[in-house]
């Protein structure tokens, strides 16, 4: 199942693992496995990728980074096929992502003997990229009545859905706002008019999807595998300049 109605779907370059995610979700539909189990599985895959980077097994690292992306899509797919949406799963997914992103970049810094300052800048850049992509994507989903588990403004603790505990939602929402609040605030401050945008064409969303976490991890994996580990951190710092480029294009489209 898609997060958007069929007529509003776009080619999401960060979502290349979706077909495999659907296979996994459908195979688990009638089992005791829950979306949370799949989220834990993608965390394990990410940690294995980090271990592979530490030992310079870069092709293996690339494999587990891609597997992490597939499983990252599969937990949401399983929630949809089982009709068990949850804020717990949504926030656990996001909190796990940002922690793994930091650990992956710190590991690359360690094995390349690079600059810790540049590593921090790359991490901030990656998070701003992902936040812009998610910001536009959630706006589309709300506009066209797609998946509504994610909200444009995460400024209030949501009410627990059926099958989850409010206590868990409260804790994970606090963690989410702690980790993501500053990035959400920055992107909203520099493109607050996007929430009223009438025109977010499919081609534009496809280009912006290169900011999605799946595509970011694919690039990291490929760069590691072909011997460009030293360039991963500088690349993502430079690519962050396109945050302003995409915002400028979005504004031009909605004059």
């Amino acid at each position: 199942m898609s997060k958007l109605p069929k007529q509003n779907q776009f080619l999401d370059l960060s979502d290349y693992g979706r077909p495999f995610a659907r296979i996994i979700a459908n195979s688990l539909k009638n089992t005791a496995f829950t979306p949370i189990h799949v989220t834990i599985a993608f965390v394990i895959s990410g940690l294995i990728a980090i271990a592979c980077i530490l030992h310079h097994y870069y092709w293996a690292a690339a494999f587990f980074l891609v597997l992490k992306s597939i499983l990252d899509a599969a937990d949401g797919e399983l929630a949809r096929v089982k009709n068990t949406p949850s804020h717990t799963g949504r926030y656990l997914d996001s909190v796990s992502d940002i922690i793994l992103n930091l650990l992956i970049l710190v590991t690359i810094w360690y094995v390349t003997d690079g600059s810790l300052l540049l590593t921090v800048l790359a991490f901030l850049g990656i998070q701003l990229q992902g936040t812009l992509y998610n910001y536009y994507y959630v706006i589309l989903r709300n506009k066209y009545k797609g998946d509504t588990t994610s909200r444009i403004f995460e400024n209030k603790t949501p009410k627990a859905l059926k099958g989850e505990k409010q206590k868990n939602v409260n804790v994970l929402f606090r963690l989410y706002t702690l980790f993501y609040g500053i990035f959400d605030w920055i992107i909203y401050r520099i493109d607050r008019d996007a929430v009223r945008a009438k025109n977010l064409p499919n081609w534009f969303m496809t280009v912006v999807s290169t900011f999605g976490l799946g595509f970011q991890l694919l690039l990291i994996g490929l760069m590691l595998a072909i011997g460009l580990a030293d360039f991963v951190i500088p690349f993502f710092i430079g690519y962050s300049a396109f945050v302003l480029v995409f915002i400028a294009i979005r504004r031009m489209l909605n004059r």
Side-chain angles (χ1 to χ4, degrees), residues 58 62 65 108 216-236:
Y58 291 145
L65 288 175
I108 293 172
Q216 291 172 335
L217 292 180
L218 178 62
L219 287 177
I220 291 173
L222 288 175
M223 293 178 77
L224 290 172
I226 63 177
L228 297 177
D230 290 336
F231 296 94
V232 171
I233 288 171
F235 171 81
F236 281 102

Side-chain angles (χ1 to χ4, degrees), residues 10-30:
F10 60 92
L11 175 61
D12 188 342
L13 298 177
S14 74
D15 204 25
Y16 52 84
R18 186 67 56 180
F20 302 103
R22 287 173 178 152
I23 293 172
I24 293 171
N26 286 323
S27 68
L28 298 177
K29 180 178 180 180
N30 297 314

Side-chain angles (χ1 to χ4, degrees), residues 167-195:
K167 178 177 64 175
N168 294 339
V169 175
N170 294 345
V171 171
L172 287 167
F173 179 74
R174 290 192 191 101
L175 289 174
Y176 176 88
T177 54
L178 174 66
F179 292 145
Y180 286 95
I182 185 61
F183 302 109
D184 289 344
W185 181 83
I186 291 172
I187 292 300
Y188 176 68
R189 292 293 295 179
I190 60 180
D191 197 16
R192 65 177 66 192
D193 293 336
V195 294

Side-chain angles (χ1 to χ4, degrees), residues 53-237:
I53 296 170
L54 279 172
H55 292 87
H56 303 280
Y57 299 144
Y58 291 145
W59 278 103
F63 170 81
F64 283 105
L65 288 175
V66 171
L67 178 60
K68 186 265 179 191
S69 295
I70 293 171
L71 294 173
D72 201 351
D75 57 5
E77 283 294 327
L78 185 59
R80 282 184 280 279
V81 299
K82 284 196 170 191
N83 194 26
T84 56
S86 75
H87 296 296
T88 301
R90 180 259 188 276
Y91 294 127
L92 179 62
D93 185 300
S94 296
V95 169
S96 300
D97 278 337
I98 197 170
I99 293 173
L100 286 173
N101 287 352
L102 179 60
L103 291 176
I104 289 166
L105 289 179
V106 168
T107 304
I108 293 172
W109 160 74
Y110 179 79
V111 300
T112 59
D113 195 27
S115 165
L116 184 57
L117 175 60
L118 293 181
T119 302
V120 172
L121 290 176
F123 170 73
L124 296 176
I126 280 178
Q127 293 309 131
L128 286 174
Q129 293 170 34
T131 300
L132 182 70
Y133 163 69
N134 288 326
Y135 180 45
Y136 290 161
Y137 197 3
V138 174
I139 288 171
L140 271 183
R141 280 146 60 180
N142 279 262
K143 182 178 180 181
Y144 295 115
K145 303 185 186 305
D147 176 82
T148 56
T149 304
S150 297
R151 300 174 297 173
I152 298 175
F153 301 111
E154 296 284 1
N155 51 15
K156 183 179 180 182
T157 306
K159 184 178 179 181
L161 299 173
K162 182 180 178 181
E164 62 179 343
K165 297 179 180 179
Q166 187 65 51
K167 178 177 64 175
N168 294 339
V169 175
N170 294 345
V171 171
L172 287 167
F173 179 74
R174 290 192 191 101
L175 289 174
Y176 176 88
T177 54
L178 174 66
F179 292 145
Y180 286 95
I182 185 61
F183 302 109
D184 289 344
W185 181 83
I186 291 172
I187 292 300
Y188 176 68
R189 292 293 295 179
I190 60 180
D191 197 16
R192 65 177 66 192
D193 293 336
V195 294
R196 295 185 293 274
K198 296 182 179 179
N199 189 21
L200 289 173
N202 288 352
W203 66 265
F204 175 71
M205 289 302 301
T206 294
V207 174
V208 177
S209 73
T210 59
F211 276 178
L213 180 56
F215 197 78
Q216 291 172 335
L217 292 180
L218 178 62
L219 287 177
I220 291 173
L222 288 175
M223 293 178 77
L224 290 172
I226 63 177
L228 297 177
D230 290 336
F231 296 94
V232 171
I233 288 171
F235 171 81
F236 281 102
I237 293 174

